[in-house]
Structure formats: C-alpha cells, structure tokens
C-alpha cells in the first residue's frame, strides 16, 4: 500500500485533503483520468480551477503525465519512478480502447528509437496503440 502523504512530502507538496484524495485516485485506477472524470469522482468539495492547478503541479513535480485521448481530451496518468521535476521519462506505448475510450500506459512496450531524418530534428516520439482493453474484451 502506497503512503500518499509520504509521496507528497517527497515531492515537496503540501498534504491537503484534496491533493491526498486526487493522488489516491490516480494510484487506484488502471487507466488515465480526465478532469471531468476527476470532478465526478472526487469527494472533496472543489472546483475545476483547483483540479487544473493540482494537475499542473503534479505534472511539474513528476507525479503524473499527459496521455493521448481519441477525442482529443487531455488525460493524465501516473508517472513511473524515473520521472522527477527536472525530467519526465515516458518511453512506453499508450493504448486507447475503442470501446470504453480509456487510455492506458503499456510499460512493457517501449517506443523505438528513431533516427533524425535529413533536415529534421526529432525531439520526441510517441507510440499509440488502439483496440479493446481486457475489461471490454471480457464484457
């Protein structure tokens, strides 16, 4: 079981009730979350601005990262242990489920290294896979 207060302290964040609840929500989901999904599930009384601010701080501190969405919404998922406030390390694929529209980090599929093409400077690459997730397959 993860100690949420310790995680917040290690990342130099205040341990507010809302931040503890939000971070717990990320640790308890297998998928990524949108702001709307967070607002529907959060127990603490809060507004959209507070959610966006917390997500921005969590991202800057290396706790979460943005992931793709088939409807062009911004989704967020937990970072791996290699991320920090100085650098995000996300060399993994993202899977978008065509049935439930969830986005999942697939950490055991790495994004292949890509060579610069003549005249281009590639700064990052992403690998997005689409299909049906295990929950939707079994439904």
């Amino acid at each position: 079981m993860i100690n949420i207060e310790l995680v917040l302290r290690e990342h130099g964040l205040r341990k507010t009730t809302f931040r503890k609840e939000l971070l717990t929500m990320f640790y308890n989901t297998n998928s990524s979350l949108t702001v709307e999904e967070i607002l529907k599930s959060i127990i603490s009384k809060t507004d959209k601005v507070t959610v966006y601010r917390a997500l921005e701080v969590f991202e800057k501190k290396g706790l979460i990262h943005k992931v793709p969405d088939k409807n062009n919404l911004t989704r967020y998922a937990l970072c791996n242990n290699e991320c920090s406030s100085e650098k995000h390390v996300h060399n993994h694929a993202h899977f978008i489920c065509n049935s439930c529209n969830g986005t999942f980090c697939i950490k055991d599929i790495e994004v292949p290294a890509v060579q610069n093409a003549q005249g281009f400077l590639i700064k990052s690459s992403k690998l997005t896979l689409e299909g049906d997730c295990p929950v939707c397959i079994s439904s």
Side-chain angles (χ1 to χ4, degrees):
M1 188 70 182
I2 191 81
N3 183 332
I4 296 297
E5 289 193 15
L6 179 62
V7 172
L8 290 169
R9 186 172 355 118
E10 287 174 345
H11 286 84
L13 295 169
R14 289 184 299 125
K15 300 175 289 275
T16 65
T17 301
F18 170 68
R19 285 183 178 177
K20 290 188 282 188
E21 186 180 356
L22 180 59
L23 192 55
T24 300
M25 190 181 298
F26 277 105
Y27 275 101
N28 289 338
T29 186
N30 293 328
S31 181
S32 57
L33 299 168
T34 65
V35 170
E36 294 305 320
E37 291 167 340
I38 292 167
L39 286 168
K40 285 179 188 174
S41 302
I42 207 84
I43 296 169
S44 302
K45 191 172 184 171
T46 191
D47 60 14
K48 195 181 270 193
V49 173
T50 303
V51 172
Y52 276 111
R53 284 184 186 146
L55 292 171
E56 183 180 342
V57 169
F58 282 9
E59 186 178 14
K60 283 182 181 175
K61 293 290 187 171
L63 286 169
I64 62 172
H65 65 286
K66 291 179 183 169
V67 297
D69 178 80
K70 98 187 234 182
N71 298 315
N72 291 325
L73 296 172
T74 302
R75 300 187 73 85
Y76 301 88
L78 274 176
C79 286
N80 56 36
N81 292 334
E82 298 172 41
C83 294
S84 68
S85 57
E86 290 83 37
K87 182 179 176 186
H88 279 272
V89 179
H90 299 288
N91 188 28
H92 60 263
H94 290 97
F95 182 87
I96 300 174
C97 180
N98 290 327
S99 297
C100 69
N101 295 326
T103 301
F104 305 84
C105 294
I106 309 293
K107 294 184 171 53
D108 51 342
I109 299 177
E110 291 188 3
V111 176
V114 178
Q115 299 294 322
N116 283 323
Q118 188 172 0
F120 295 90
L121 177 60
I122 299 170
K123 295 190 177 190
S124 70
S125 60
K126 296 173 176 70
L127 178 59
T128 304
L129 309 169
E130 292 188 35
D132 293 314
C133 72
V135 171
C136 292
I137 290 171
S138 64
S139 299

